[in-house]
Amino acid sequence: MKMKEKEVKVSPLKNFVAGGVGGACLLLAGHPLDTIKVRLQTQPKPSGTQCLVYTGAYDCFRKTVSKEGVLGLYKGMGAPLMGVAPMMAISFFGFALGKQLQQTDPGKPLTSTQLFVSGCLAGIFTTVIVAPGERIKCLLQVQSSRGGTKYSGPLDCALQLYKEQGIRSVYKGTLLTLIRDVPSTGLYFLAYENLKINLTPEGQSVSQLSTPRILLAGGVAGILNWTIALPPDVLKSNFQTAADRKYSGLADVLKTLLREEGPKALYKGSNAVFLRAFPANAACFLGFEVALKGLNILAPSW
Ligand SMILES: *[C@@H]1O[C@H](CO)[C@@H](O)[C@H](O)[C@H]1NC(C)=O
C-alpha cells in the first residue's frame, strides 16, 4: 500500500509558472546537444589532405568547450527559449486544468484514462501556439532556399499572413499538429504520472520522490512522447514542404513513404532525437517539480 497522499488541489496557475521553469530547464539540458548536432551536420567536407574539424559528437563537445567555454554550447538559445518556455507553461497549465476538471475528490487519485485525457487537453492547448509556429518556421525555411525575401522574420511573416488571408492562413496545418501532439502529449503526461507512482517505494509519498527517480520518470516520458510523435511528424514535414499537388492528402503521404522507403522512413533521424529527449525531459520535470514545491511554500493559497 502506498501512503495516503495529503489532500492537494491542483492549481493550473502554479502549474503554468512551474511549467515555464520546466521549459527553460528542458532547453538548458537539451540545447547543447542541439548545438553539437548542428555543428556536426554543417561542418565542411574535408578535401585533399584536410581533416574533419570534428570526428564525432564527443570531439565536437570537447573542442567547443575548450575554445569557447561552456557558453559556446548555448549559442542561439534565445530564440527557442522564447518558444519553449511559454509552450511548456501552457502545456502544464492544460494538464493541470484537465486534472482539476475531472477531480471530484482531492484525496482520490485520477485514473489512467483521466490522466491521458488531461494530457490530451495539454496537447490541444499547446497547438494554439505550436501550429502557427510550425507554419511560420516552414515558410521561412522554404523562402531562404528560394532566395526571395518576402518575409523579414517570424513576426513579419505572421503579420503578412494575417493581413493577406486572415487568421485561417496563420493556422494552416493545425490538424496535422493536433494529430502529432494530442495523443503524444496524453501519453507523455500519463507515463510521467504513472512512473512516479510506480517508482515510489512502499510506505512513502509520491511528493517525496527522490531526484534520480524524477529524472528517470521524466526521461522515459520524453522518449515515449517522441516514439509516437515522430511518425506523424515525418508525415507533416513531408506534407508541408512538398510541392503543390504532389500528395492528395495525408494518407497519400503515408502510402508513398511506405512504398518508397519502408517503415523505417517514419523514424528518420530518430537517434539524435532520442538522445536529446531523455536528458531534456528529465531536466524539464525536475525543474517543474522543484518550482512547484517552491510555489507551494511561497504562495500556498494560489
Ligand atoms: C513531443 O514530441 C513532439 C514531436 O514532434 C515535439 O514537438 C514536442 O516538443 C515533444 N514534447 C516534449 C515535451 O518534448
Side-chain angles (χ1 to χ4, degrees):
M1 238 334 252
K2 301 269 144 85
M3 206 173 99
K4 189 169 163 12
E5 295 301 318
K6 263 199 315 237
E7 302 220 339
V8 264
K9 280 225 184 72
V10 188
S11 158
L13 180 60
K14 276 187 210 163
N15 278 264
F16 179 84
V17 177
V21 174
C25 293
L26 182 136
L27 217 57
L28 278 175
H31 195 76
L33 286 163
D34 197 56
T35 305
I36 290 170
K37 186 196 81 187
V38 172
R39 288 190 173 194
L40 287 172
Q41 283 172 337
T42 57
Q43 67 174 325
K45 294 229 161 51
S47 59
T49 56
Q50 279 176 302
C51 297
L52 273 172
V53 185
Y54 310 117
T55 57
Y58 180 67
D59 187 48
C60 177
F61 170 81
R62 214 172 40 87
K63 287 182 176 149
T64 302
V65 172
S66 74
K67 282 204 200 104
E68 302 163 57
V70 173
L71 285 182
L73 295 169
Y74 285 99
K75 280 198 181 142
M77 199 181 75
L81 186 62
M82 304 268 288
V84 171
M87 184 194 106
M88 292 313 288
I90 293 175
S91 188
F92 278 94
F93 173 82
F95 181 57
L97 188 67
K99 287 202 289 189
Q100 193 190 47
L101 292 173
Q102 298 180 88
Q103 190 176 50
T104 43
D105 164 8
K108 209 168 126 212
L110 294 178
T111 65
S112 288
T113 311
Q114 288 173 322
L115 290 172
F116 181 73
V117 168
S118 306
C120 289
L121 189 65
I124 294 173
F125 274 42
T126 53
T127 298
V128 174
I129 63 168
V130 172
E134 297 266 329
R135 163 100 163 119
I136 290 164
K137 190 194 77 181
C138 283
L139 284 174
L140 292 174
Q141 283 171 330
V142 175
Q143 141 169 298
S144 56
S145 68
R146 284 185 196 146
T149 45
K150 183 164 167 24
Y151 310 113
S152 66
L155 193 64
D156 179 50
C157 179
L159 287 174
Q160 284 198 44
L161 287 178
Y162 180 69
K163 273 195 207 126
E164 283 164 18
Q165 293 164 61
I167 199 74
R168 282 189 71 102
S169 169
V170 180
Y171 276 92
K172 197 171 165 189
T174 296
L175 182 63
L176 286 165
T177 310
L178 285 168
I179 292 172
R180 187 192 69 178
D181 289 356
V182 171
S184 66
T185 311
L187 184 66
Y188 178 68
F189 282 111
L190 170 65
Y192 180 67
E193 295 273 320
N194 273 345
L195 279 167
K196 272 202 325 182
I197 294 170
N198 287 323
L199 288 170
T200 301
E202 294 278 300
Q204 284 183 26
S205 155
V206 179
S207 60
Q208 287 158 346
L209 198 60
S210 67
T211 300
R213 288 170 193 231
I214 291 177
L215 292 172
L216 178 63
V220 172
I223 299 275
L224 284 174
N225 168 52
W226 279 95
T227 307
I228 68 163
L230 211 48
D233 188 54
V234 172
L235 294 184
K236 184 175 142 312
S237 307
N238 275 283
F239 188 63
Q240 288 182 321
T241 56
D244 280 350
R245 308 219 176 78
K246 175 165 183 213
Y247 300 114
S248 62
L250 258 197
D252 190 28
V253 186
L254 178 62
K255 264 189 248 153
T256 311
L257 275 179
L258 288 178
R259 192 183 56 232
E260 289 175 358
E261 303 175 54
K264 68 174 191 303
L266 297 175
Y267 281 96
K268 251 191 254 174
S270 58
N271 285 349
V273 162
F274 286 136
L275 198 63
R276 181 172 187 249
F278 193 96
N281 287 285
C284 174
F285 277 109
L286 184 63
F288 168 79
E289 297 283 353
V290 170
L292 194 64
K293 273 202 182 132
L295 285 171
N296 282 333
I297 294 167
L298 289 175
S301 60
W302 270 18

